[in-house]
Amino acid sequence: MNICIATDLFPPEGGGSELSAYFLAKGLAKRGHNLLVVMPHFGQKTVYKEHKWFKIIRFRYLRAPNVDFLRNVVQNELLYIYMAQMLKKIVKTYEIELIHAQNMLTVPPSVIAAKKTNIPVIAHIRDYWPICFRRSFIRPNGSVCDSCNSKNLINCIRLEGQFSSFFMPASIPYISANMGLKQLLLNRADHVIAISDAVRTMLLARRSIVMKHFSRLTPQKISVVPNIMPIPSKRLTESELLGMRRYYKLDEKDMLVLYVGQLTYDKGVHILIKALELLLLKNTSLKLIILGKGPLASHLEKIKGRFGDQLRYFGFLPYIKVLQFYQMADIVVVPSIWPEALGRVNLEAMALRKPVIATKVGGIPEIITHEKDGILIEPGDPKEIEHALYRLINDPDLRSRIGLEGRKTVEKRYNEGIVCDQILSIYKKLTRFRQ
């Protein structure tokens, strides 16, 4: 089958969502399908690249100017029109049989192109973009948002800083119209894939609120297919791990707690730091390692001096380096406040047999069974993190058992074969229906 993967970013750019798209494309290609990855090349010329498993076309597109509204229109509505035209040409040139759109910016143009060329289109939903302006149900200050009404939308726009005060009055109707357009086009997709039951449930729950846009978004039209989490093939040896600790000036006996993710309030990193303050009263050999970037990075740089070398911040690192830090760590914490669509960090840590402490939000409880392959805690409570960490720090057998069970969970439920079989089953139903 000739399949087009439409995305706005692709590794080495992007984060967890882009990695998931890459592993999916690779898995499908290994099964003998022809994969073509199509994405915009912002501000640069068109590039055609041959990858080992698939082809990549990065078509030339405008770099958005830093001007209110014009920036948003270039990144959204204009991109929909231009990318739809590019996809129509690509469908005909490469005899594409199905378009699989991976994210918020590429679902609208993919649907437009697919309807014009009469081929099926699938929308992959990896967060809450169809029903939340910020895609997270969390306000920029970290509080939970109950609905996308005008008052909440104004607060989000103001705190997010996307529009200046001068343009604020006009931003509400623009964003409402933009969300309505995306919802209408998502509604016309032939099938929707949600990465967790949490995402599917939220889409269906909000369906009644935006019924005029989601009239075709029935339960039968949304399938739940999790992301692929391959087991890393290269494991560091004991001597390599020891050398890595020495390189980063970490003692061999230090208990290393790892956080990987964006430095934002919704990810709960500030709650983890509060838990660190409580733990340092009990365990002086503990060191918290933070990897990532985001708005709280500058705050982290300011406060890390208070903790001496027990809080280490290494910024944003390439994925291969992140995998090495997972292997060096003793415990991984995922303190998210927002309802994580799935929580890829959990899977990455579990694949490497690391015990995970994670909050009971969104799709995380679909991955972790409490006390079996991870520890689940309530969100937003530093004392819960502190208690869970203290347990694992002082019980090496528990750490080992949870780490081993986590690896089994990933191998059983998130391997390439199982996920690709589910995706291909959906592909075949759609193409058979068209024929």
Side-chain angles (χ1 to χ4, degrees):
M1 186 184 298
N2 296 329
I3 304 160
C4 174
I5 299 290
T7 183
D8 62 336
L9 295 173
F10 205 66
E13 298 173 313
S17 294
E18 289 70 34
L19 275 172
S20 297
Y22 168 80
F23 290 132
L24 175 60
K26 180 181 176 181
L28 294 172
K30 286 166 68 176
R31 278 157 181 74
H33 299 280
N34 298 316
L35 271 292
L36 179 63
V37 177
V38 178
M39 56 191 292
H41 206 188
F42 298 100
Q44 300 185 56
K45 65 180 182 180
T46 299
V47 174
Y48 298 86
K49 186 178 179 182
E50 290 285 343
H51 189 274
K52 179 181 179 181
W53 298 107
F54 40 74
K55 295 179 182 178
I56 299 175
I57 296 178
R58 303 190 69 179
F59 61 87
R60 184 176 185 175
Y61 186 67
L62 300 173
R63 188 181 298 280
N66 190 26
V67 179
D68 288 352
F69 279 109
L70 183 57
R71 174 185 62 246
N72 295 77
V73 170
V74 169
Q75 290 177 336
N76 288 269
E77 289 81 3
L78 190 60
L79 175 64
Y80 304 162
I81 296 169
Y82 190 81
M83 188 169 185
Q85 294 299 318
M86 294 299 299
L87 286 170
K88 281 168 57 180
K89 294 177 183 177
I90 287 168
V91 166
K92 294 176 182 178
T93 302
Y94 293 91
E95 299 180 346
I96 298 297
E97 298 168 70
L98 179 145
I99 300 176
H100 190 159
Q102 298 296 308
N103 44 40
M104 177 179 70
L105 292 181
T106 57
V107 166
S110 297
V111 171
I112 295 169
K115 297 307 173 185
K116 292 289 186 181
T117 54
N118 195 33
I119 63 172
V121 57
I122 293 174
H124 214 124
I125 308 300
R126 302 184 186 278
D127 54 36
Y128 302 101
W129 66 260
I131 45 181
C132 174
F133 165 60
R134 297 196 67 244
R135 303 182 291 172
S136 65
F137 293 121
I138 295 289
R139 299 184 182 94
N141 63 3
S143 60
V144 178
C145 185
D146 53 355
S147 64
C148 203
N149 55 41
S150 296
K151 180 181 178 182
N152 288 336
L153 201 52
I154 289 172
N155 287 333
C156 277
I157 294 168
R158 183 180 292 117
L159 291 169
E160 194 89 337
Q162 286 202 11
F163 294 94
S164 64
S165 300
F166 179 80
F167 287 107
M168 191 67 69
S171 64
I172 300 298
Y174 167 74
I175 289 174
S176 298
N178 176 266
M179 288 188 66
L181 176 61
K182 288 185 288 195
Q183 290 166 350
L184 280 169
L185 289 168
L186 174 64
N187 191 47
R188 297 191 64 200
D190 294 288
H191 202 78
V192 173
I193 294 176
I195 62 171
S196 68
D197 193 57
V199 172
R200 182 179 186 272
T201 300
M202 195 73 79
L203 283 172
L204 293 174
R206 295 293 178 106
R207 178 173 173 259
S208 59
I209 302 173
V210 288
M211 190 64 183
K212 64 179 181 178
H213 295 156
F214 281 172
S215 58
R216 303 181 192 174
L217 202 63
T218 61
Q220 296 76 22
K221 193 176 177 178
I222 308 176
S223 298
V224 176
V225 182
N227 293 327
I228 295 170
M229 183 60 235
I231 304 298
S233 56
K234 179 170 172 46
R235 295 290 302 274
L236 297 178
T237 64
E238 288 297 324
S239 61
E240 287 174 328
L241 287 171
L242 183 59
M244 189 175 173
R245 284 191 176 229
R246 289 171 178 165
Y247 178 80
Y248 289 106
K249 296 181 174 59
L250 297 165
D251 193 270
E252 184 180 351
K253 296 179 181 179
D254 286 337
M255 179 64 61
L256 302 184
V257 176
L258 178 65
Y259 170 88
V260 178
Q262 293 182 348
L263 303 183
T264 54
Y265 284 110
D266 56 324
K267 289 290 188 178
V269 64
H270 59 298
I271 306 296
L272 177 57
I273 292 172
K274 290 179 182 177
L276 174 65
E277 290 181 297
L278 297 174
L279 268 169
L280 291 182
L281 301 174
K282 299 179 179 180
N283 191 305
T284 56
S285 68
L286 169 70
K287 283 186 171 57
L288 173 61
I289 296 174
I290 295 179
L291 306 181
K293 61 181 180 180
L296 294 180
S298 57
H299 174 67
L300 194 60
E301 290 285 1
K302 290 178 183 177
I303 67 167
K304 68 179 185 180
R306 298 202 327 244
F307 299 92
D309 67 348
Q310 291 181 301
L311 173 58
R312 305 288 300 278
Y313 173 49
F314 294 102
F316 182 81
L317 299 178
Y319 185 60
I320 190 169
K321 283 287 185 184
V322 174
L323 291 178
Q324 292 174 355
F325 268 90
Y326 277 123
Q327 294 179 64
M328 185 172 62
D330 296 291
I331 303 168
V332 176
V333 182
V334 183
S336 298
I337 298 172
W338 81 294
E340 289 273 3
L342 187 63
R344 185 171 189 87
V345 170
N346 298 280
L347 297 176
E348 291 170 344
M350 292 162 73
L352 288 163
R353 297 181 181 175
K354 298 301 173 180
V356 178
I357 299 169
T359 47
K360 292 187 283 188
V361 293
I364 292 177
E366 297 173 43
I367 300 174
I368 294 174
T369 301
H370 182 52
E371 298 283 351
K372 180 186 177 186
D373 49 16
I375 303 292
L376 291 175
I377 59 173
E378 295 296 330
D381 188 346
K383 289 184 179 179
E384 287 229 6
I385 298 176
E386 181 257 344
H387 176 69
L389 276 171
Y390 191 72
R391 277 187 64 199
L392 289 178
I393 288 169
N394 293 285
D395 193 339
D397 291 338
L398 181 61
R399 293 200 306 272
S400 179
R401 178 178 64 78
I402 287 178
L404 181 60
E405 289 297 325
R407 171 67 168 262
K408 291 178 181 177
T409 296
V410 171
E411 290 176 334
K412 182 179 180 181
R413 292 163 47 196
Y414 302 94
N415 71 72
E416 181 184 282
I418 289 176
V419 174
C420 284
D421 285 347
Q422 291 176 282
I423 296 287
L424 287 171
S425 176
I426 297 169
Y427 286 1
K428 288 174 183 176
K429 287 179 183 177
L430 292 177
T431 53
R432 190 184 305 124
F433 175 77
R434 287 298 175 108
Q435 291 171 355

